[in-house]
Each structure stands twice: as structure tokens, then as C-alpha cells.
């Protein structure tokens, strides 16, 4: 009797699991198959002949290549460097310096950034960048993303710095290191895993970001991949599916690679805390 | 106990804090006050009122809340109703319940099946918005879409998802997209429950549903509140329905974020766009305050 129940339980587990797997996989199936078919349409059908020619055509399109391998990279890496650097400095100060009301500051920042979101504040953000003369520049996009992502980045980073024992830094100071030297030689190496996580989180957010570049950029030569992907259209105005899906797949790969990397190195839970 | 040595003196700390503070002041605090100012003007993107906007008082707000057209398609009230339905069904019901079911189903299990299903959910959550939107517009396509093909397989009638049931389409889309966050949050909440609590329940002979309802859910109350507020805020502010439907057909999926974009950047009416943005921020603020007060009450009861 117990054996039957056990077997039924196992079968039920696999059936329900497959159902969940299907729910999440089916909408993406087309994206994995269509890029490899020369006659792709909107339906999922295994190509008669698997082919890489769609990718070859994407790589032959200099506008598409530039958007993906230059513009998206500049904007995502630029923001990543800026956010990681500033968040580390700020989080370190909030954790180690006797700043009054530092808990209120950390929570207040996150609270404020969840109120002034990119969608609610799109008009003043546009006007601000316009006033600064940075419309249609990579720098404008980088600055806006940096401002928007910093509060959460400081919060994640402070959590990380707080969890590190202070003894190394204390002994460095006792042995006569300067504050800056202690920060550079002792503290920075210890908090590096936290910086990695914040950096990856920032990169993924900017890489996938659509609204900010969509509003702030004008010339096709500066569009990141998230906006450029909407340009593979025939003269009749219908999207060229073979190219779009191949491009979408290329554009998604760095995100998947980073996820696998973070998951392997630190476990995803840590990374999964906040996503704006 | 000896006094803890200060690792960073106050002055150095403030220097470390300065660059980040500058950015946050410029790109979060300043826009907050700026938007309030612009919302009282007739500022536009081009033309005379772009350079010399005039003060128009509450006109933009009065237009938003003009009761004669408030609930007509494409107007602010109608957009708020759509947003409310979108947030309730896709975030609170869709994401939170799906995430809870996933977390509960795989609770106290290990192995490749759990890993694979959770990884698929996480992939749906982390890949870029535009890619997900492309995949879903194909998935929901009337003629070739995978969903209608599946429905046909089970003998059902084809459904014109994006034109016939557009609001339902973006609701399902967003629930699917964001379920992973709730799943991860609830999984880690379940992980923090001492196993002895459940062993007691086993001894008493409580069923699975009773165990969830009477033991688990009360224990993770704080996590539930956090989850609901965060996904509500994110869903309320998301722009991604625009990528799937563009707000149409006939404004039926025009959530407030998409309305803001249309008014400000398609009609170039920055004053009215700012007024909508201002109301959005006030709603965000209300959510945030409710969250804080709930958390405080939780801490008080401990």
C-alpha cells in the first residue's frame, strides 16, 4: 500500500513539475528555434535545415552590430563602473564612519528611489538632461541610469560591508596605515565579492533598459540593442522575424552568461534580492 | 567592554559619501521637485511654450480629474482603472500566488527537477524586456502562435489574444514574467522556518493545506508584506506593457506609465505629462508609507 502511494506521489511530482516547466518554457521556445530557421514565422516549428545564416546576416548589418557590441556595451559598462565605485565608497562610509542617522539615510534613499521611478519622472529627467546639453549622448544615458540604480546599490552594498568583521581594518590602523591606504589595501579586497554582485546587477539592468535610451537618444548610431531591435523591418513595415529573433538571442546571451556566472560563484539568492 | 574604535573618521566618511549623494540629489531629489513645478505650467517639447512656459495653476490637474471625461478611453481615470486591474491580477494574484505555489511545491525537496523548473522561472524574469515582449507577441499570435496551437490541440477555439483580450494578455504576460521574484523570496522565507515546527505539525497529523495556512503563512507574514508591496510598486511603474501592445487597441492596455509617455512624448504636452507623473509618485508614496507602517506594527508585536 505504502509503495503504491509512494510511486503515485513521485508520478504526481513529475507531472506537476513538467507542467510548471512548460508554463515557463513554452513562451520562449520560439525564440530558441526561430533564429536557426531560414523560413521562420511566428509559429514554433523545427527548421527543416538548421542554419546559421540569420546570424551571418545580423553580423553583416553594421547598424545592428554597432548597437549591440558598441552602444549597449558603452552604456552598460559605463554605468556599471560608476555605480559600483560610488556605491562602494558610500556604503563603506555608511557602515564604518560615525555618521548620524545612517540607517535612516539608507532606508530613506531606497524609499525615495521607489517613489521617483523612471516612468513617473520621465519628463523632469528628460528636461534635466536637455538642460545639461546631454540629449543624444551616451553620457546622458549613463548618468540617468547611475542616479536611478545607486540607492538600491548602496543598500545591497551596505548589507555586505556590515557583514564583514572589522578586525582586519582595525589591525591595519593599529599598525599605522592611513585611512585611505587601509581602505585600498584591506577593505577593498574584502568587499570585492559584493562589488561583483552589484556590478552584475547594474549591468543587467542597463543592458535590458528600454525607456531611458528610448527617450534620451535621437540618432540611430547611438541606440543600444534594446531600441535597435525594433529596426529590422521590411519596406512594407512588417518585422523580419529571422533577423529579429537571431538578434534577440545574441542580445540575451550576456545576461544568461552573467546569471550562470553569479549562480555558480555566489548562489543566485544573494543576487536575487532586488531588481528594479 | 571597550569602546569600538572608529574605523573611518567622520570627515573621510562624508567625502566617501559625497559623489553618490550628488548623483542621488541630481537625478532623484531634483526631478521630484522639478516635476511638481512643471506640472503647474503649459510647458511643451517644441514651440513657443517650450522656451517660455506659462504658469497655468491647477489647470493640468483639473483636466486630469475632469469628471465629464474621466472614465472615457484614453483618459486618466480609465487608465487608472486599467492599471488597478493590471496590478491586482498580474502582481498580487498572478505573481505572488504563482510564486507561493512554486516555492511551496518545491519546499524541502532537492534535485535536478527543482533546479530546472526554478531556473526556467528565473530566466523568464531576468532576460531583457524587449526580448520577452517579442517572444510573447509570437506566443499569443492568432494564426501561428504557440498558445492557440496548444488550445487547438485540446480541441478549443482559437482566441484573438492581443486584439480581443488585450488586458488579459498583458496580465498573463506580467504574471509569467515576474513570478520568479516571489518564488525566490518565499523560498528563502520557508528556509528560515525551524524544521521542528513542522515536525510538531506532522506528529499532530496536520494536512498539507492546514500546515501551510496555520503554521507557515503566519510565520512568514513579514515576507508576504514585503513581497506584495514590492511587486505592487514595480508592476504599477512598469513600462513593459507598451512593448507588447503599445497601449492599444483603443487604449485598452494603456496603464498610467504608458499614458504618461503618450501625453509627454507623443503629444509633447510636458505640463500634463508631469501632472500624471506627480499623481503616480503620490500613489507610490502611499504604497511606501503603508509598507513602512505595516513593518513597524510587525516589529511592535514581536
Amino acid at each position: 500500500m505504502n509503495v503504491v502511494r509512494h510511486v503515485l506521489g513521485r508520478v504526481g511530482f513529475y507531472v506537476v513539475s513538467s507542467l510548471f516547466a512548460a508554463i515557463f518554457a513554452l513562451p520562449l521556445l520560439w525564440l530558441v528555434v526561430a533564429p536557426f530557421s531560414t523560413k521562420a514565422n511566428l509559429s514554433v516549428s523545427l527548421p527543416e535545415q538548421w542554419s546559421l545564416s540569420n546570424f551571418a546576416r545580423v553580423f553583416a548589418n553594421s547598424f545592428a552590430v554597432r548597437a549591440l557590441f558598441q552602444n549597449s556595451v558603452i552604456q552598460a559598462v559605463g554605468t556599471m563602473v560608476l555605480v559600483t565605485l560610488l556605491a562602494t565608497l558610500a556604503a563603506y562610509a555608511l557602515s564604518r564612519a560615525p555618521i548620524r542617522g545612517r540607517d535612516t539615510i539608507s532606508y530613506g534613499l531606497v524609499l525615495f528611489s521607489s517613489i521617483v521611478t523612471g516612468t513617473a519622472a520621465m519628463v523632469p529627467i528628460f528636461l534635466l538632461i536637455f538642460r545639461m546639453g546631454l540629449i543624444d549622448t551616451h553620457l546622458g544615458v549613463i548618468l540617468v541610469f547611475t542616479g536611478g540604480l545607486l540607492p538600491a546599490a548602496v543598500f545591497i552594498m551596505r548589507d555586505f560591508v556590515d557583514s564583514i568583521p572589522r578586525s582586519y581594518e582595525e589591525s591595519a590602523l593599529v599598525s599605522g596605515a592611513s585611512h585611505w591606504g587601509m581602505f585600498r589595501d584591506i577593505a577593498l579586497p574584502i568587499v570585492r565579492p559584493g562589488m561583483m554582485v552589484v556590478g552584475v546587477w547594474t549591468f543587467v539592468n542597463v543592458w535590458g533598459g528600454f525607456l531611458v535610451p528610448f527617450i534620451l537618444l535621437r540618432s540611430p548610431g547611438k541606440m543600444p540593442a534594446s531600441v535597435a531591435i525594433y529596426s529590422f523591418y521590411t519596406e512594407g513595415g512588417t518585422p523580419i522575424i529571422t533577423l529579429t529573433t537571431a538578434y534577440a538571442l545574441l542580445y540575451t546571451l550576456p545576461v544568461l552568461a552573467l546569471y550562470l556566472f553569479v549562480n555558480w560563484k555566489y548562489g543566485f539568492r544573494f543576487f536575487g534580492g532586488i531588481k528594479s | 567592554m571597550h569602546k569600538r574604535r572608529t574605523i573611518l573618521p567622520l570627515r573621510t566618511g562624508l567625502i566617501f559619501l559625497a559623489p553618490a549623494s550628488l548623483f542621488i540629489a541630481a537625478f532623484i531629489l531634483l526631478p521630484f521637485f522639478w516635476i511638481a513645478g512643471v506640472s503647474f505650467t503649459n510647458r511643451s517639447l517644441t514651440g513657443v511654450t517650450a522656451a517660455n512656459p506659462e504658469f497655468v495653476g491647477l489647470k493640468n490637474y483639473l483636466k486630469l480629474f475632469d469628471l465629464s471625461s474621466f472614465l472615457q478611453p484614453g483618459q486618466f481615470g480609465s487608465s487608472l482603472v486599467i492599471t488597478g486591474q493590471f496590478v491586482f491580477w498580474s502582481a498580487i494574484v498572478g505573481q505572488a500566488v504563482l510564486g507561493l505555489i512554486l516555492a511551496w511545491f518545491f519546499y524541502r525537496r532537492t534535485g535536478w527537477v527543482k533546479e530546472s523548473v526554478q531556473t526556467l522561472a528565473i530566466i523568464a524574469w531576468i532576460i531583457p524586456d524587449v526580448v520577452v515582449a517579442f517572444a510573447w507577441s509570437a506566443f499569443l499570435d492568432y494564426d501561428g502562435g504557440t498558445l492557440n496551437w496548444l488550445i487547438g490541440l485540446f480541441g478549443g477555439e482559437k482566441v484573438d489574444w492581443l486584439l480581443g483580450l488585450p488586458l488579459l494578455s498583458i496580465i498573463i504576460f506580467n504574471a509569467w514574467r515576474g513570478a520568479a521574484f516571489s518564488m525566490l523570496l518565499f523560498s528563502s522565507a520557508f528556509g528560515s522556518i525551524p524544521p521542528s515546527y513542522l515536525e510538531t505539525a506532522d506528529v499532530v497529523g496536520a494536512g498539507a493545506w492546514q500546515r501551510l495556512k496555520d503554521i507557515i503563512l503566519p510565520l512568514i507574514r513579514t515576507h508576504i508584506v514585503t513581497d506584495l508591496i514590492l511587486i505592487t510598486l514595480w508592476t504599477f511603474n512598469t513600462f513593459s506593457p507598451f512593448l507588447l501592445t503599445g497601449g492599444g487597441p483603443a487604449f485598452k492596455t494603456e496603464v498610467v506609465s504608458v499614458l504618461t509617455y503618450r501625453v509627454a512624448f507623443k503629444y509633447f504636452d510636458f505640463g500634463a505629462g508631469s501632472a500624471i507623473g506627480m499623481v503616480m509618485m503620490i500613489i507610490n508614496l502611499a504604497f511606501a508609507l503603508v509598507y513602512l507602517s505595516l513593518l513597524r506594527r510587525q516589529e511592535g508585536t514581536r
Side-chain angles (χ1 to χ4, degrees):
Chain A
M1 206 49 206
N2 262 334
V3 177
V4 175
R5 232 172 112 178
H6 178 77
V7 170
L8 279 181
R10 283 320 279 175
V11 171
F13 172 71
Y14 285 117
V15 169
V16 177
S17 297
S18 324
L19 194 72
F20 284 139
I23 289 174
F24 286 103
L26 277 175
L28 295 175
L29 195 59
W30 172 76
L31 210 60
V32 181
V33 177
F36 299 98
S37 161
T38 48
K39 289 185 222 130
N41 52 28
L42 290 173
S43 59
V44 173
S45 51
L46 286 184
E48 287 160 20
Q49 203 172 2
W50 293 78
S51 148
L52 291 175
S53 67
N54 295 333
F55 293 99
R57 278 174 69 199
V58 167
F59 280 108
N61 182 329
S62 64
F63 164 74
V65 169
R66 190 168 169 186
L68 183 60
F69 293 98
Q70 185 184 310
N71 301 341
S72 278
V73 172
I74 291 175
Q75 289 162 20
V77 172
T79 313
M80 179 179 82
V81 171
L82 213 51
V83 166
T84 310
L85 205 72
L86 300 188
T88 305
L89 283 172
Y92 192 73
L94 286 173
S95 176
R96 299 296 202 244
I99 295 170
R100 219 185 293 163
R102 48 193 183 169
D103 290 330
T104 318
I105 295 176
S106 316
Y107 279 101
L109 282 182
V110 176
L111 180 73
F112 224 87
S113 73
S114 61
I115 294 166
V116 188
T117 56
T119 39
M122 62 178 108
V123 174
I125 283 172
F126 175 88
L127 290 173
L128 180 63
I129 293 298
F130 184 77
R131 231 5 118 68
M132 293 168 83
L134 293 176
I135 289 294
D136 202 25
T137 62
H138 291 307
L139 184 61
V141 174
I142 291 174
L143 293 181
V144 169
F145 271 126
T146 303
L149 295 173
L150 254 180
V154 172
F155 197 83
I156 302 174
M157 202 61 207
R158 185 181 163 196
D159 221 33
F160 195 86
V161 182
D162 276 346
S163 71
I164 290 169
R166 308 152 75 102
S167 48
Y168 291 111
E169 293 145 87
E170 279 167 358
S171 29
L173 289 177
V174 167
S175 62
S178 69
H179 290 291
W180 172 247
M182 175 273 297
F183 175 72
R184 195 190 53 204
D185 299 332
I186 309 292
L188 266 190
I190 302 180
V191 300
R192 197 175 291 151
M195 294 172 73
M196 293 286 296
V197 171
V198 168
V200 167
W201 172 81
T202 308
F203 182 94
V204 169
N205 264 296
V206 180
W207 189 261
F210 172 79
L211 186 62
V212 172
F214 184 57
I215 288 179
L216 296 183
L217 298 177
R218 290 271 172 278
S219 46
K222 288 184 182 131
M223 296 297 177
S226 58
V227 183
I229 197 169
Y230 286 97
S231 51
F232 298 114
Y233 282 83
T234 61
E235 280 172 24
T238 48
I240 307 170
I241 288 163
T242 47
L243 290 188
T244 305
T245 51
Y247 197 60
L249 198 59
L250 287 173
Y251 168 54
T252 310
L253 285 181
V255 175
L256 291 180
L258 282 172
Y259 162 67
L260 289 176
F261 170 74
V262 171
N263 197 23
W264 160 70
K265 197 124 196 215
Y266 310 107
F268 188 69
R269 200 142 303 169
F270 190 49
F271 175 60
I274 306 179
K275 176 174 178 279
S276 76
Chain B
M1 245 187 86
H2 68 283
K3 193 169 166 289
R4 271 216 303 197
R5 177 194 268 272
T6 304
I7 289 178
L8 211 60
L10 182 60
R11 228 172 61 113
T12 322
L14 291 179
I15 294 172
F16 276 27
L17 202 55
S21 313
L22 202 73
F23 262 92
I24 291 165
F27 291 97
I28 295 182
L29 295 182
L30 182 63
F32 181 73
F33 294 107
W34 200 331
I35 196 172
V38 179
S39 70
F40 296 114
T41 69
N42 63 355
R43 178 160 189 147
S44 54
L45 182 61
T46 51
V48 187
T49 48
N52 294 308
E54 292 161 8
F55 181 77
V56 295
L58 287 172
K59 203 176 138 204
N60 290 319
Y61 291 95
L62 292 176
K63 225 162 67 187
L64 285 190
F65 291 98
D66 179 2
L67 290 182
S68 62
S69 60
F70 191 59
L71 288 173
Q72 278 167 21
Q75 297 299 315
F76 185 57
S78 151
S79 179
L80 273 184
V81 172
I82 290 168
T83 312
Q85 290 171 303
F86 176 63
V87 169
F88 179 78
W89 291 108
S90 78
I92 295 177
V93 175
Q95 291 183 5
V97 172
L98 188 56
L100 184 68
I101 292 173
L102 280 165
W104 177 241
F105 185 72
F106 290 114
Y107 177 47
R108 291 203 286 183
R109 286 183 203 267
T110 48
W112 66 272
V113 177
K114 172 183 179 171
E115 293 297 319
S116 318
V117 174
Q118 294 202 330
T119 302
L120 281 172
I122 291 170
I123 286 175
W125 179 50
I126 57 170
I127 62 179
D129 273 340
V130 290
V131 174
V132 177
F134 261 118
W136 271 77
S137 52
F139 182 64
L140 296 177
D141 184 64
Y142 182 72
D143 288 317
T146 314
L147 188 54
N148 274 348
W149 172 78
L150 267 178
I151 290 173
L153 213 62
F154 290 100
E157 284 279 304
K158 276 187 184 181
V159 178
D160 195 350
W161 293 99
L162 289 171
L163 291 177
L165 296 168
L167 185 56
L168 183 64
S169 297
I170 61 166
I171 286 171
I172 297 175
F173 163 75
N174 190 56
W176 177 90
R177 169 92 165 126
F181 174 77
S182 301
M183 175 189 81
L184 289 169
L185 201 145
F186 288 134
S187 295
S188 82
F190 289 160
S192 68
I193 296 171
S196 60
Y197 283 42
L198 291 168
E199 280 153 20
T200 317
D202 286 338
V203 171
V204 185
W209 166 242
Q210 248 179 344
R211 241 187 351 218
L212 180 68
K213 186 174 64 96
D214 296 339
I215 301 173
I216 312 261
L217 291 185
L219 279 173
I220 60 164
R221 236 179 6 213
T222 321
H223 294 92
I224 297 175
V225 172
T226 305
D227 182 67
L228 290 182
I229 292 283
L230 286 178
I231 60 178
T232 301
L233 267 171
W234 290 334
T235 303
F236 181 70
N237 285 280
T238 185
F239 194 66
S240 55
F242 178 81
L243 301 171
L244 191 59
T245 63
F251 309 117
K252 278 179 193 151
T253 57
E254 198 173 63
V255 291
V256 278
S257 61
V258 179
L259 175 71
T260 314
Y261 170 75
R262 177 167 62 89
V263 170
F265 290 96
K266 279 193 157 158
Y267 296 175
F268 305 132
D269 189 344
F270 276 11
S274 297
I276 302 170
M278 198 65 205
V279 178
M280 277 182 84
M281 286 188 197
I282 291 169
I283 295 173
N284 284 341
L285 180 70
F287 282 133
L289 291 179
V290 168
Y291 176 50
L292 287 181
S293 74
L294 282 176
L295 274 193
R296 196 159 300 157
R297 203 182 305 160
Q298 293 275 317
E299 262 151 38
T301 54
R302 278 213 188 128

